[in-house]
């Protein structure tokens, strides 16, 4: 399945393709971060979970800023 099929399908609202895209990206990024040691597992699981949630929150904030800027200029 190509990303074009997801984004050009008019049955989906903007939320569904964005959710699919961000979910895949975040899952891949978390796997890589765990592999290279960027997520601090040595400080305990709660700290690692907070780190992941912070990463997701920052991603959503950046997406929302882009969403507002593109909706303002379109």
């Amino acid at each position: 399945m190509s990303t074009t099929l997801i984004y050009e399908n008019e049955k989906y609202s903007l939320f569904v393709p964005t959710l699919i895209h961000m979910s895949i990206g975040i899952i891949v990024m978390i796997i890589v971060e765990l592999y290279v040691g960027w997520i601090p597992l040595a400080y305990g699981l709660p700290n690692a979970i907070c780190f992941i949630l912070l990463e997701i929150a920052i991603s959503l904030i950046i997406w929302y800023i882009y969403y507002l800027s593109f909706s303002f200029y379109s």
Side-chain angles (χ1 to χ4, degrees), residues 2 4-5 9-10 12-13 23 25 28 30-31 35 42 47 61 63-64 68 73:
S2 173
T4 306
L5 294 174
N9 191 340
E10 294 182 7
Y12 299 138
S13 66
S23 297
V28 169
I30 289 171
I31 291 170
Y35 181 74
N47 285 336
I61 290 169
W63 176 85
Y64 188 66
L68 289 179
Y73 290 113

Side-chain angles (χ1 to χ4, degrees), residues 5-56:
L5 294 174
I6 296 170
Y7 283 103
E8 291 183 359
N9 191 340
E10 294 182 7
K11 293 188 295 186
Y12 299 138
S13 66
L14 179 62
F15 177 74
V16 174
T18 302
L19 182 67
I20 293 169
H21 181 97
M22 287 189 75
S23 297
I24 293 170
I26 288 172
I27 289 169
V28 169
M29 190 141 174
I30 289 171
I31 291 170
V32 170
E33 290 171 347
L34 285 169
Y35 181 74
V36 297
W38 289 351
I39 295 179
L41 290 177
Y43 298 111
L45 189 60
N47 285 336
I49 291 172
C50 287
F51 184 84
I52 292 170
L53 291 176
L54 179 65
E55 174 187 331
I56 292 170

